[in-house]
Each structure stands twice: as structure tokens, then as C-alpha cells.
Amino acid sequence: LPRTTMVTRGVVDLFDNLLLLKTSISVILQYWHLFIYLLLMQCAFAALTAWFMSDVLMDREALSILSFLGGILGLTLFCLCIVLLKIKPTLTLGLATTIVSFLLLIRLRRYLFSLASSKLVGFSVFFMFILLLRLIFIQGLLVPPYADSVIHLQIVQDFLNPDRPPQAFFHLSLDLGRYYHFGFHALAAWLSGATSTAPEQTILLLGQYFQALAILAVYPLVRISSKDSLSAWAVMIVAGLILSIPAYTSNWGKYPAIASLTGISFGLSLLLIYAKNKFTFSNKYIWLIGLVILTAACLHSRSLFIFLLAALINFLYTRSGFIFEKLEIKDSDENRNIVIVLW
């Protein structure tokens, strides 16, 4: 093609993409109450996560992102408790929890202020940009085109009406054949009822929100393992702008799997910190690891296999000094990381 034609097509494609981003912004403005409520609740639990991690000495930006990720996991665990208690999510409860969230933020404000940094502006802009890109995928959709999406909607509707007999095949029951990982659905049901948003729209929006969080969760994991912020940024950008997974998992309605990526990355980051500084943490950090693993498993039960593998890697990492001594290899962080990669 002539060069002028190629340039013209490039300009047209760029203009079309900008229009799509504009539509994503309109989606956020249309459902601003849901996003504001979600962020407020998440920040309240993030402050609580920061308290759990108050004795961790690490990069402030990575610690801030971990606290933010812990916020959504804490909120998910809270919503699971609501489901187990069979409490109907309502706008009144939404207003009440809004007030409680404000009070919690005021009570734990010093932990939030300790995480403040000018570099967080860059992370916030990147997160918002990724979220806008992900919202493009759901424009004009009622539910994603796959059978799982209908099942997710039925489960959320059951959680919204706990006083009625469940309509979905998978529901809370002692029958293991009816078991499902209900973390995503509990959160979607609570947000839908607390903000008076249609459940199908809540599922779509929350699924894309978790996608953006999954990309953000890459940064602290790479930052802790590599001790290099530039490498962490590079991996996060590649995951967010180049890789097609997890973006296209929305086409299959794999929302629990998408949501579990946040819990897995957060849990692995905590385990990696613990492996390198095992004797310097209080019991509340151990409790945090347990709660994260529990929540990740509730988002997707196969997360437990990832953490089991991580436990084996941790065992190998802590015994690497003995292995190096037998093989007459120098014991260093670089060689220990090589052992982890080989495993």
C-alpha cells in the first residue's frame, strides 16, 4: 500500500480507539455510584490490610499496591460472610457500610498516610487506562457470549434473594455436587444490591475491574522477586498492553478465574516476603497469609494448587543453602532465585 494510505489508516484506527475510550469513560460516568462505592469499600479494607502489614519493611509503592489488592480480597471475604448469613443486600445496607467505611478510614488513616507517595500517581493513571481498555470489551453486551455467564448471573440473583429457593444448579448446600467457588458472585451480588445496579451489569463491570487489578498485581510480585522497579513496570506493561490473556477470558465468562489472579499474585507476594524474612514478622502477618489463601480459594478453588506449589518452592528455597553446600555452589540470592525458576 502507498505510504500515505497506511498513514491515513493509522490515523483512522487511532481515532476509532479514542472513540472507544470515550465510550468507556461514559460507562464509568453512568455507573459512577458503583465504582465510587467499590473504591471506598476497597480502600477501607486496604487500610486494614496496611495494618496487617505494618511490620513489613519493603518498597513503599509495592506495599501500597499490595494493600490495595488486599482491599478487594477483604471486601470479597466480607461479602462471603453476608452470603453465608443469608443477608439480603440492599441500598440501606449499602449506605450503612459507606458510613462504616469512612469511620474505618479515619481510624486507620495513619496507615494509609504511611503508604502515600508521588509515584502512586503513575500507578493510578496506568490502572485507570487499563480499566478503560478493558471496558471496551463489554460495550453493548448484556452478558458475555458463553454458557458460564448465564450460570454466574443465576448464582448472583440467588444471592440477591436469599429468602427464595435457589434457581441455579450451583448453590450453597451440603451436597458437594452443588459446590462452586462463590467469591466473585458474593461480591457481585453485594455491589448490585448495595448500589441498586442491575446484576448483569454488575457482573460485566466487576469482571473488567478484576482484569485491571490482575495486571496491577503483577508489579509487587516482580518487584519483590527482582528488586528492580523498572523490570516490574516492564512486566506489568507487557501483561496489560500486549498479552491477550487475561483480557479475552471475558469472552468465555471465566470471571472466577480472572478474580482469583489477584488473590494468587497477592498471596505469592506475601509468601515470597515471608520466605526471605521468616523470623521478623508478627502473628498478624501469618493470619493475613491465611486469610488471603482462603479468599483466593473462594474466588477459585484451584488456587489452592498454586499455593501448594508455592509452599514446596518455599521449602526448596529455605533448604537451598544445604543443596549449594553439597554441590559446592556459592549461596546467593541470585542462585536461590535460579533454584526457584528451575523448580
Side-chain angles (χ1 to χ4, degrees):
L1 292 175
R3 181 176 298 179
T4 54
T5 303
M6 294 178 65
V7 172
T8 302
R9 286 190 175 183
V11 172
V12 171
D13 290 342
L14 178 61
F15 183 72
D16 289 341
N17 290 333
L18 290 176
L19 287 179
L20 289 174
L21 287 178
K22 182 180 178 181
T23 306
S24 296
I25 294 174
S26 67
V27 170
I28 291 180
L29 293 177
Q30 180 181 359
Y31 296 100
W32 64 270
H33 56 292
L34 184 145
F35 285 105
I36 292 296
Y37 178 77
L38 173 57
L39 286 172
L40 177 62
M41 293 286 289
Q42 185 175 352
C43 287
F45 281 100
L48 193 58
T49 305
W51 173 77
F52 273 102
M53 302 182 65
S54 58
D55 55 355
V56 177
L57 298 176
M58 60 177 296
D59 176 72
R60 181 181 295 183
E61 287 72 35
L63 187 59
S64 300
I65 294 175
L66 285 176
S67 298
F68 188 64
L69 299 174
I72 196 69
L73 297 178
L75 178 56
T76 301
L77 196 58
F78 166 79
C79 295
L80 280 167
C81 294
I82 294 295
V83 167
L84 291 175
L85 294 173
K86 294 189 176 182
I87 298 175
K88 180 180 178 63
T90 62
L91 184 60
T92 302
L93 287 177
L95 294 173
T97 50
T98 299
I99 296 173
V100 173
S101 297
F102 272 117
L103 295 176
L104 187 60
L105 285 172
I106 294 173
R107 178 68 178 83
L108 301 174
R109 62 186 181 278
R110 71 184 184 93
Y111 296 104
L112 284 181
F113 291 155
S114 66
L115 301 176
S117 170
S118 58
K119 295 181 181 179
L120 292 181
V121 176
F123 290 103
S124 301
V125 172
F126 181 78
F127 174 73
M128 182 56 66
F129 180 66
I130 294 297
L131 179 60
L132 291 174
L133 289 179
R134 295 299 184 259
L135 289 175
I136 292 174
F137 284 81
I138 63 171
Q139 291 177 15
L141 292 180
L142 180 61
V143 293
Y146 195 71
D148 281 11
S149 303
V150 178
I151 296 173
H152 297 322
L153 180 58
Q154 290 177 332
I155 295 173
V156 171
Q157 288 175 334
D158 285 343
F159 289 166
L160 282 169
N161 300 280
D163 52 330
R164 298 190 320 198
Q167 302 299 311
F169 177 81
F170 299 105
H171 56 266
L172 295 175
S173 171
L174 296 178
D175 182 4
L176 294 180
R178 304 280 182 168
Y179 168 78
Y180 202 68
H181 17 254
F182 293 116
F184 175 86
H185 312 88
L187 179 56
W190 175 261
L191 292 175
S192 176
T195 62
S196 293
T197 305
E200 57 270 18
Q201 284 300 318
T202 305
I203 292 172
L204 286 169
L205 295 172
L206 186 59
Q208 306 312 96
Y209 186 80
F210 264 115
Q211 279 196 25
L213 284 177
I215 301 304
L216 193 66
V218 171
Y219 180 87
L221 184 59
V222 179
R223 178 69 177 86
I224 295 166
S225 58
S226 69
K227 300 180 180 179
D228 182 21
S229 59
L230 184 60
S231 298
W233 263 105
V235 173
M236 184 172 62
I237 291 173
V238 169
L241 301 179
I242 297 179
L243 297 182
S244 58
I245 296 294
Y248 285 96
T249 45
S250 288
N251 295 352
W252 314 321
K254 301 299 183 181
Y255 291 124
I258 296 171
S260 68
L261 290 176
T262 301
I264 291 172
S265 297
F266 185 38
L268 292 179
S269 297
L270 294 182
L271 290 173
L272 189 56
I273 295 171
Y274 179 74
K276 293 184 175 182
N277 308 274
K278 182 172 294 185
F279 304 106
T280 61
F281 297 122
S282 61
N283 289 333
K284 63 182 181 181
Y285 187 83
I286 309 301
W287 273 100
L288 178 62
I289 293 177
L291 290 173
V292 169
I293 293 175
L294 173 63
T295 308
C298 291
L299 286 169
H300 204 293
S301 55
R302 294 187 183 95
S303 301
L304 290 175
F305 292 102
I306 304 296
F307 290 118
L308 178 60
L309 179 61
L312 294 174
I313 292 175
N314 179 41
F315 175 80
L316 186 63
Y317 183 88
T318 55
R319 299 297 186 275
S320 56
F322 174 77
I323 297 173
F324 292 148
E325 182 180 349
K326 292 296 183 182
L327 297 177
E328 297 183 353
I329 299 175
K330 181 183 178 181
D331 189 358
S332 65
D333 287 340
E334 290 77 12
N335 288 337
R336 284 173 178 258
N337 289 335
I338 290 174
V339 170
I340 292 176
V341 173
L342 290 176
W343 175 256

